[in-house]
Amino acid sequence: MTIREDAEMKVENPPNGSGEDGNVPRKKSKKKKSKGKKNTTNTNLTNQLPPAGHIFVPEVSSPDDYKYSEVLLKGLEEEFPQENPQDTELRQGVLEELERVMTEWMTKVGMEEHNLPESEARGSANKLLLLGSFKLGAAYLGSDTDILCIGPPHISREAFFSSFVEKLKQLSDVDCLAIPDAFTPIIKIRMRGVNIDLLFAVLPRILDTSVSLEDALMDDEVLRDMDEKSVRSVNGYRAAVKILQKVPNHDTFRASLRFVKHWAIRRGIYSNVLGFFGGITWSLMVAKICQMHPDLAPNWILVRFFQHYSQWDWSVPVVLGEIQPERPNEKGFSHLKVWNPKTNAGDKHHAMPVITPTFPAMNTTHNVSSTTQKLLVSELVRAYRRCCHGTCSTLFEIDWWQIAEPLRFFSRWPEVVSIEVLAKNEEVFQKVIGWVESKLRLLVRELESTPCAKIRPNPRQYRIKGSMDTPWRRGCGLFVGVGYMQVAMKHSSDLRGAFNNFINIINSWSEGAMYEGDYIVKLGRRLRSTLPNYTMEAEEVEYKQAGKRRQFMLYSADIPHPQLPPTPSSKPAQDEDDTFMTPANSGDFLSTIEEKLDKGFWDKKGGVKDTIKQEAN
């Protein structure tokens, strides 16, 4: 469940992003002396970059470049496969059935509650529209299918999230969970094994039947008098269409985006709710590079992508075109706010703005914090360094597997904060994990204030397998890495304040009383040596499976290739790019206080049951 702040966006003469030459933007005017602490995030990390020109990137790709891209795509298909024809057929059948159920429900509501003739009630029901990764053509096997339902004026949002949900629950082989209070309300559906995220928008008026629904939604006029939640839902579709309109080569864009998403997921930086980047943000960033370099093959687009954003001045937003200004004096549009740091104080604090290309322009990265910004930039720097690693001077010598090597989270962090969510059934679990995950970045923010500590949130959910001898049939673990700088080695850190604040937030869940006794949440500190088996096992399995498939990322029988690099060992060397976030010698310090750490444990009934004791100085 994505929880976003209510700060909306304004724009008056906004900055238009990068120059078309792809260089990092530089201000022409003299810089004013700024008071306060200087932001050194980019400076510290980009000093690690290879010298300019270390790897030559052409402006126009050769036929051989496209052959090398095919090698990467074959490997990507092994690592990050797309749907097979059977899965596509199943998904299409499910969506057709869902559309039929929706049409029947809207027709019934129109006839029984609004006395509409059957023909009018049925004719006002609109078809479902794809958005997100499936609309962009960059979905992978197991992706949730994002769907937009456009309701006529007589269908209320309350009815959609209540009576329509009840109708869905009556169907066989269907599980659904309504989240009407989210920033963008959604119904999460699992239907015959297909996962669907269903968004809803209410039209303020009946559309002109002479214009197709798709064309009508791309006209700004459709937003006049539309409520803000509906605008956000519709703009998900509008943004996807606009991205495809702005990229010159759809095949290159989709191939590049698939690798970037694969890399971001593997490196643990794919999560909007935790303060990293989500799917729409990565899509916009890849689209910008494709827009700037229309004649490059996917491999070179990826090199340019990592080069460009590892050196980017994040005080300048990433945009695909001019941002349309607000319309405060135009009836029906005055309530729509556009992203603009010049007029909106909240927008000034956005650390890494990436702006949607449709009106009203919105920032897709407002959850990014100082910690996640450093992690994102660090991973971009790491990837670009590996594009230029060692003697790499040609496209083929780049080790794409190493760039997207799975993150060894538990191997790198000597201590973690663990949050385990256990529930008696799937419906309760989805409700609870959605609430906990949406608030996890608040815990990260509290942990950031711990003196001399480095924090690393992990977006991955580690499944806990239930057993027949316990009531908890569904569960997962969430983890945040914690490390300490050397100056703090002589003193233990006290996380009780951060824990208590997070506990109070979770216990404030309005639906908690409805599920009394059906779930439990555990919060605590763990050393690496006390981690549950399911964590390290999952990490080892992922790494070994990825290592076995490494050859697909490196060579093709049709292209001359160097000797295949050896498969990495199960214990990789310390990544030099992680040194800024991984404390030196912290394991030795933590082992001395292992006996003094008492794991905090709480649930919604009892609150804090065992407090975390103050470690001895």
Side-chain angles (χ1 to χ4, degrees), residues 187-234:
I187 301 176
K188 301 185 76 67
I189 304 169
R190 184 172 177 82
M191 191 172 185
R192 301 204 326 247
V194 177
N195 294 319
I196 299 170
D197 288 345
L198 180 61
L199 282 69
F200 179 68
V202 183
L203 292 172
R205 66 192 66 82
I206 295 294
L207 296 176
D208 183 355
T209 56
S210 64
V211 180
S212 68
L213 177 62
E214 293 85 348
D215 290 341
L217 291 180
M218 294 310 296
D219 188 340
D220 291 348
E221 187 62 28
V222 77
L223 305 179
R224 189 185 295 273
D225 297 317
M226 184 177 285
D227 68 274
E228 292 186 15
K229 291 183 177 180
S230 294
V231 170
R232 287 194 288 271
S233 297
V234 168

Side-chain angles (χ1 to χ4, degrees), residues 397-416:
E397 292 174 312
I398 297 174
D399 187 345
W400 296 107
W401 186 94
Q402 188 184 65
I403 290 173
E405 179 184 5
L407 176 70
R408 303 299 298 270
F409 177 78
F410 296 108
S411 300
R412 298 200 185 281
W413 290 92
E415 179 185 351
V416 297

Side-chain angles (χ1 to χ4, degrees), residues 583-608:
N585 303 322
S586 56
D588 297 336
F589 163 69
L590 288 169
S591 63
T592 64
I593 64 167
E594 184 172 3
E595 299 301 323
K596 299 182 180 67
L597 291 177
D598 186 15
K599 301 176 182 61
F601 177 85
W602 63 281
D603 60 21
K604 75 175 189 63
K605 291 192 297 181
V608 181

Side-chain angles (χ1 to χ4, degrees), residues 378-389:
S378 175
E379 288 295 339
L380 289 164
V381 169
R382 173 192 176 276
Y384 181 51
R385 291 184 69 185
R386 277 152 178 73
C387 289
C388 308
H389 182 67

Side-chain angles (χ1 to χ4, degrees), residues 32-48:
K32 296 181 179 179
K33 292 183 179 180
S34 58
K35 297 181 180 180
K37 188 176 179 180
K38 183 179 179 181
N39 186 348
T40 59
T41 300
N42 279 16
T43 304
N44 292 339
L45 293 171
T46 54
N47 285 340
Q48 306 172 24

